[in-house]
């Protein structure tokens, strides 16, 4: 029963992140990837600080962290938020929501590899096999079913960015699990989001100064959704669940993103192709094998 709430939180997070794929597509039609990320995390950071204020009140800014803890929070912000969202936004400029969500499903396998190297968690032969199977599924998606594309390097650059997103986000989970599991998840995520906001603001200055901020209602609705729900709320309950359930289970929950993305595709009129389903099924088969071997 103690783990039911973290599981429910994970499910809600994956639904919000699947919806983020569609929300960011709407926002990118009006603004640049860095500009979208900056506005998104402005509202995300504000949401987290409101939550922190309600939770801590008088102890709002009485953080007592060591230099190493501050450094690891910054690294979480850099890899888990700044690079993750940058690769996410740039990737979705040239790839589809379904493709992106299916590639993100490799995160559990990537987390397993990182856990092997950084957390010294040994992987069984079945788990290595599962990881290989999952990446075969990714290769099918990247090549759109045409294996000759690998020899001609004709696959979408957006798919590569989404794969990079899965890599850096998985690495951030290792940092949280290894160095920050003793810190309150909302506090850690709030500070990390502030760091990420500063990074986005610094790098997006040229965009903010030269490109007019859109006034379209659909742009601002998508920004508010991604900032408040898809960032502030989602990141808090995700890293809370990482601490409560561990990196492997939290990463495996990302299998739900393609599932929710396909369901939402019917709402947003996104096309789903058979080769995407095939690649997704292969990824899921590998992840099921990984989760079974991990449990055993």
């Amino acid at each position: 029963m103690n783990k039911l709430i973290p599981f429910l939180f994970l499910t809600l997070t994956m639904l919000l992140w699947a919806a983020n794929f569609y929300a960011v597509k709407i926002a990118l039609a009006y603004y640049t990837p860095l500009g979208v990320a900056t506005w998104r995390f402005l509202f995300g950071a504000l949401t987290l600080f409101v939550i922190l204020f309600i939770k801590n009140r008088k102890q709002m800014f009485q953080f007592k962290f060591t230099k190493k803890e501050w450094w690891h929070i910054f690294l979480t912000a850099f890899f888990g938020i700044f690079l993750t969202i940058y690769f996410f936004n740039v990737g979705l400029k040239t790839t589809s929501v379904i493709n992106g969500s299916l590639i993100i499903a490799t995160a559990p396998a990537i987390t397993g590899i990182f856990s092997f190297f950084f957390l010294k968690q040994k992987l069984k032969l079945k788990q290595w096999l599962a990881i290989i199977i999952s990446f075969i599924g990714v290769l099918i998606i990247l090549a759109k079913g045409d294996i000759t594309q690998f020899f001609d390097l004709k696959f979408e650059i957006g798919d590569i960015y989404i794969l990079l997103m899965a890599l850096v986000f998985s690495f951030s989970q290792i940092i949280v699990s290894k160095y920050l599991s003793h810190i309150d998840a909302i506090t850690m995520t709030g500070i990390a989001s502030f760091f990420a906001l500063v990074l986005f603001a610094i790098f997006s200055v040229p965009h903010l100064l030269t490109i007019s901020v859109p006034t379209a209602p659909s742009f601002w609705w998508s920004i508010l959704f991604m900032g408040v729900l898809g960032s502030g709320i989602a990141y808090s309950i995700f890293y809370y669940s990482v601490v409560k359930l561990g990196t492997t289970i939290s990463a495996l929950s990302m299998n739900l993103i393609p599932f929710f993305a396909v369901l939402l595709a019917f709402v947003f009129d996104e096309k789903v192709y058979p080769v995407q389903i095939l690649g997704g099924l292969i990824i899921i088969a590998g992840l099921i094998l990984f989760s079974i071997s991990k449990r055993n």
Side-chain angles (χ1 to χ4, degrees), residues 12-246:
L12 175 60
T13 301
M14 299 312 131
L15 175 60
L16 292 174
W17 282 349
N20 270 355
F21 278 88
Y22 295 97
V24 79
K25 276 281 194 181
I26 295 171
L28 288 173
Y30 298 96
Y31 213 36
T32 65
L34 273 174
V36 168
T38 303
W39 283 108
R40 169 183 174 176
F41 267 91
L42 174 61
F43 289 104
L46 288 173
T47 301
L48 283 161
F49 275 102
V50 169
I51 295 172
L52 275 174
F53 177 76
I54 295 172
K55 184 176 182 294
N56 296 330
R57 298 284 180 174
K58 294 181 180 180
Q59 299 178 345
M60 178 69 174
F61 296 104
Q62 298 178 11
F63 305 125
K64 296 180 180 179
F65 301 137
T66 65
K67 290 182 179 179
K68 284 187 177 180
E69 287 170 336
W70 280 111
W71 173 241
H72 290 131
I73 292 174
F74 174 78
L75 289 179
T76 301
F78 182 71
F79 290 104
I81 301 178
F82 178 69
L83 286 183
T84 293
I85 299 305
Y86 174 73
F87 289 146
F88 178 66
N89 287 3
V90 175
L92 283 183
K93 290 285 286 185
T94 56
T95 192
S96 69
V97 168
I98 302 301
N99 249 35
S101 64
L102 288 171
I103 294 169
I104 286 295
T106 60
I110 295 171
T111 303
I113 294 173
F114 284 158
S115 297
F116 174 78
F117 287 105
F118 296 105
L119 302 181
K120 307 303 180 184
Q121 294 180 359
K122 295 182 179 179
L123 298 179
K124 301 174 184 177
L125 180 61
K126 285 184 179 179
Q127 290 173 311
W128 285 113
L129 178 61
I131 289 171
I132 293 171
I133 291 173
S134 294
F135 279 113
I136 289 173
V138 174
L139 294 178
I140 291 175
I141 294 172
L142 291 175
K144 307 292 189 298
D146 183 5
I147 198 65
T148 59
Q149 290 197 30
F150 285 103
F151 300 102
D152 299 330
L153 297 177
K154 290 182 179 178
F155 37 80
E156 297 286 353
I157 189 65
D159 295 332
I160 304 301
Y161 277 114
I162 298 296
L163 188 57
L164 287 172
M165 173 196 171
L167 283 167
V168 295
F169 185 69
S170 297
F171 185 65
S172 77
Q173 293 178 63
I174 300 300
I175 297 172
V176 172
S177 181
K178 186 173 183 178
Y179 300 109
L180 301 173
S181 60
H182 60 289
I183 297 177
D184 175 69
I186 295 177
T187 301
M188 185 273 295
T189 311
I191 298 171
S193 294
F194 175 76
F195 285 152
L197 177 61
V198 172
L199 288 170
F200 280 126
I202 292 171
F203 285 96
S204 64
V205 165
H207 304 268
L208 297 174
L209 293 177
T210 59
I211 303 175
S212 300
V213 178
T215 57
S218 57
F219 171 80
W220 287 108
W221 278 118
S222 65
I223 290 293
L224 284 171
F225 174 84
M226 290 187 291
V228 177
L229 295 176
S231 299
I233 301 298
Y235 267 88
S236 295
I237 60 180
F238 178 78
Y239 283 123
Y240 167 82
S241 302
V242 169
V243 172
K244 293 295 182 181
L245 301 175

Side-chain angles (χ1 to χ4, degrees), residues 247-267:
T247 56
T248 302
I249 295 176
S250 299
L252 283 170
S253 69
M254 297 186 77
N255 298 338
L256 292 172
I257 292 179
F259 171 72
F260 286 135
V262 170
L263 293 182
L264 292 172
F266 296 100
V267 177

